[in-house]
Amino acid sequence: MIKQFLSLEWKQFFRASYFQKGLVVKIFLILGALYFGGIALLLGGGMFFLIKKEIPEVDPVILINNYIIYWFLFEILIRYFMQQLPVMNVKPLMVIPIKRNTVIHYLLGKTTLSFFNFLSLFVFLPFSVVLLAKGYPVLNVVCWFFSIILITLSINFLNFLINKSNTVFYIAATLLLALIGLEYFEIFKASEPIGLAFNTLYSQPYLALIPLLSLMFLYNLNFKFIKNGFYLDDAVTKKIKSVEATDLSWFDRFGAIAPFLKNDIKLIWRNARPKQALMMSFVFLFYGLIFYTQDTYREMPAMLAFASMFITGGFLMTFGQLVPSWDSEYYKMLMSQNIPYRQYLESKWYLMVVAVGISFILSIPYLYFGWKIFGMIAAGALFNIGLNSFITLFGGALNRMPVELNTKAKAFGNTNGFNPTQLLIGLPKFLLPMGLFYIPYKLVNFETGIIVLGLSGVLGVVFKNFFLRKIENVYQKGKYKTIAAFGEKK
């Protein structure tokens, strides 16, 4: 049966419409995986010698064990935002004689093939080989290495639960923030007892049973979680909800794009995932506190430009990057109407412009850090309106991952709709404002950098029709591929 599942997955991968859209992107992702995998191998192989050179009086194993908790915290963070959870279209399988347990075991087994699981293998396998070559006890090193891999797999299944359950997410986030806060304010250094625990794990090989039992526990927990909802009735039953009507007649003044604006406002107001994106965009307003309060970053003006763009660009980064995926559940119906694509795209642009304007008004308290900083924020807002908004809309043409609007069972909605392609598309959003500011800054002065960054946004607004026309052509060419991709069940 597993062989049949693999055959179905293979056919779905090559026959799906979204396979055609990003062959170049897939090649870049493979090259990126090879690049970071190679760096991990070099890091693992050279870690022992680097520690011996810099801190010769400390045993490298002890030092690694003392700080390995930060590696695992980094894993949890990067997995939550980047790891795509494997899914299957299980509805057809529910009506044929296949055991539910077999399907669930296969689904969970797919999670072990994540690149993030291999990353730990690439780092700690060469490090363990070096330890064995240097004469460290074989049993201790081997058991310690397998313990690290078992913990990595445990984090893999923990991430599955975090992404599937709000309760698990809030518990994990609270514990993580509490530990970081206690460590930062030197109230309680959690890294010390954790480091002691890992050193004990190395010195007592039989303790490798603890990570093994932890992995088994989390696997069974995931198994039960999925099995509890693995019923055809749950899959096909629609929940009826009462919707409170809202008067949005004042949007009529926007003319032909008014229906789209009303639709987006209702979408954000009535659905869980868009609401969470809106709340997250508010968090971006505080991004400047990380940079403007540190003297180190004040000496790195390019990073200040990066932060200034983020302060007013939260809505673009959270909501805007998933255009048109927000409309995936009714996109076929939307495109069957006699609606010009231009109106659809222009409504999204105005929505982002209004969001940037509101964020800029809310950023006025940053005047506390001086007129130069606030001027940079204003220039970043202009860049977001005039250039970043169009880059975001263009990126949407390449993003054909559907979004489930109401997914209360998952922390911060659903991670669907997010894929690594967005990271490649997002590079100009981060690098362009830094370059537009930094080059004039180095050639002339700080104020010139701000002016150039702001003028780039003004020019974007002046050539709005040109950009929208080009973006419209891209959407038109991929219209039917997008409809087909949104119609597929991931």
Side-chain angles (χ1 to χ4, degrees):
M1 187 53 64
I2 299 298
K3 182 180 178 181
Q4 293 295 327
F5 287 156
L6 290 173
S7 175
L8 290 172
E9 294 277 348
W10 185 261
K11 291 175 182 177
Q12 181 190 23
F13 177 73
F14 283 102
R15 293 176 181 177
S17 61
Y18 52 83
F19 175 77
Q20 309 292 333
K21 76 176 179 74
L23 193 57
V24 175
V25 173
K26 287 180 176 63
I27 294 172
F28 274 111
L29 292 176
I30 292 171
L31 293 175
L34 292 174
Y35 173 75
F36 287 109
I39 290 177
L41 285 170
L42 291 174
L43 176 64
M47 202 155 42
F48 180 92
F49 304 101
L50 183 63
I51 295 172
K52 272 294 186 184
K53 180 181 178 181
E54 298 297 329
I55 318 175
E57 68 277 5
V58 178
D59 189 334
V61 176
I62 294 176
L63 188 67
I64 292 296
N65 284 333
N66 286 341
Y67 293 99
I68 199 170
I69 182 61
Y70 294 107
W71 170 268
F72 291 131
L73 291 178
F74 169 76
E75 266 202 56
I76 293 172
L77 182 66
I78 202 73
R79 281 175 185 271
Y80 178 75
F81 288 105
M82 294 188 63
Q83 184 178 5
Q84 293 190 45
L85 301 179
V87 293
M88 288 180 66
N89 185 14
V90 297
K91 288 182 184 179
L93 303 178
M94 291 179 175
V95 296
I96 58 178
I98 298 177
K99 292 183 179 180
R100 288 183 298 160
N101 291 5
T102 304
V103 179
I104 298 171
H105 283 306
Y106 173 75
L107 183 62
L108 290 174
K110 285 177 64 179
T111 66
T112 62
L113 300 178
S114 169
F115 170 75
F116 299 99
N117 294 330
F118 289 98
L119 197 59
S120 290
L121 183 69
F122 292 157
V123 171
F124 293 104
L125 180 58
F127 180 73
S128 300
V129 170
V130 172
L131 291 179
L132 293 174
K134 291 296 181 180
Y136 282 75
V138 176
L139 182 62
N140 295 65
V141 173
V142 171
C143 289
W144 177 81
F145 168 72
F146 279 107
S147 297
I148 299 300
I149 300 303
L150 290 171
I151 293 172
T152 298
L153 292 174
S154 297
I155 292 174
N156 175 74
F157 291 115
L158 177 63
N159 179 60
F160 197 98
L161 286 173
I162 289 174
N163 275 280
K164 294 290 182 179
S165 170
N166 278 331
T167 303
V168 177
F169 170 77
Y170 291 129
I171 292 174
T174 302
L175 288 174
L176 184 60
L177 291 173
L179 289 175
I180 293 174
L182 292 172
E183 185 94 18
Y184 180 79
F185 292 106
E186 298 183 351
I187 299 173
F188 173 70
K189 292 192 175 182
S191 58
E192 292 181 357
I194 293 174
L196 179 62
F198 277 101
N199 282 310
T200 306
L201 184 65
Y202 170 79
S203 60
Q204 304 294 333
Y206 65 88
L207 292 178
L209 288 171
I210 296 176
L212 178 61
L213 292 174
S214 173
L215 175 61
M216 293 171 61
F217 170 75
L218 287 169
Y219 184 92
N220 286 324
L221 204 61
N222 276 278
F223 182 87
K224 291 177 181 178
F225 183 88
I226 296 174
K227 192 172 183 179
N228 287 337
F230 200 89
Y231 294 97
L232 188 59
D233 290 343
D234 286 349
V236 300
T237 302
K238 297 292 184 181
K239 295 182 179 179
I240 300 174
K241 297 181 180 180
S242 59
V243 178
E244 183 180 348
T246 306
D247 182 18
L248 298 175
S249 57
W250 63 277
F251 275 98
D252 293 336
R253 69 188 67 184
F254 290 98
I257 66 171
F260 299 103
L261 290 173
K262 290 180 182 180
N263 183 65
D264 286 331
I265 297 300
K266 292 175 182 177
L267 181 142
I268 295 171
W269 184 257
R270 295 174 178 175
N271 298 285
R273 180 87 187 268
K275 276 185 183 178
Q276 291 158 356
L278 183 64
M279 288 188 291
M280 285 301 295
S281 66
F282 178 75
V283 174
F284 277 70
L285 285 169
F286 301 95
Y287 202 81
L289 297 177
I290 301 174
F291 289 86
Y292 302 149
T293 57
Q294 304 292 328
D295 292 335
T296 304
Y297 292 116
R298 285 182 173 271
E299 298 172 2
M300 303 166 63
M303 292 304 296
L304 295 182
F306 171 81
S308 301
M309 182 272 298
F310 255 66
I311 290 171
T312 57
F315 191 77
L316 275 73
M317 303 297 172
T318 56
F319 186 89
Q321 71 173 351
L322 292 179
V323 171
S325 294
W326 294 116
D327 304 313
S328 59
E329 293 187 3
Y330 51 87
Y331 197 76
K332 188 181 294 185
M333 182 276 293
L334 196 64
M335 291 297 106
S336 67
Q337 308 299 311
N338 187 22
I339 299 171
Y341 241 129
R342 172 62 178 269
Q343 294 177 7
Y344 175 80
L345 294 173
E346 196 168 6
S347 70
K348 303 295 183 184
W349 184 78
Y350 275 111
L351 192 66
M352 288 188 280
V353 168
V354 170
V356 172
I358 293 173
S359 297
F360 176 68
I361 293 171
L362 294 176
S363 70
I364 290 176
Y366 279 108
L367 279 169
Y368 172 81
F369 296 100
W371 283 102
K372 284 188 176 182
I373 294 296
F374 190 70
M376 186 174 283
I377 294 173
L382 288 172
F383 171 82
N384 283 327
I385 291 173
L387 287 181
N388 214 353
S389 57
F390 297 117
I391 296 172
T392 301
L393 286 176
F394 173 76
L398 306 179
N399 179 29
R400 298 185 183 124
M401 297 292 288
V403 168
E404 295 176 25
L405 296 176
N406 276 302
T407 48
K408 283 190 174 181
K410 299 181 182 181
F412 280 98
N414 189 340
T415 52
N416 66 357
F418 176 84
N419 61 81
T421 305
Q422 294 173 9
L423 296 180
L424 296 177
I425 298 170
L427 287 177
K429 299 179 188 179
F430 310 136
L431 300 179
L432 188 57
M434 296 171 69
L436 287 172
F437 169 80
Y438 188 72
I439 294 174
Y441 161 75
K442 290 298 289 184
L443 294 177
V444 188
N445 55 32
F446 190 93
E447 288 75 12
T448 305
I450 293 177
I451 293 171
V452 171
L453 180 60
L455 283 178
S456 68
V458 174
L459 287 174
V461 175
V462 172
F463 291 98
K464 183 190 80 168
N465 291 331
F466 170 79
F467 286 127
L468 283 177
R469 187 166 57 251
K470 293 296 183 182
I471 296 170
E472 181 187 3
N473 292 336
V474 176
Y475 273 81
Q476 286 284 8
K477 288 180 181 178
K479 176 179 178 178
Y480 295 103
K481 290 182 179 179
T482 304
I483 291 173
F486 285 166
E488 292 177 3
K489 302 298 181 184
K490 303 293 182 179

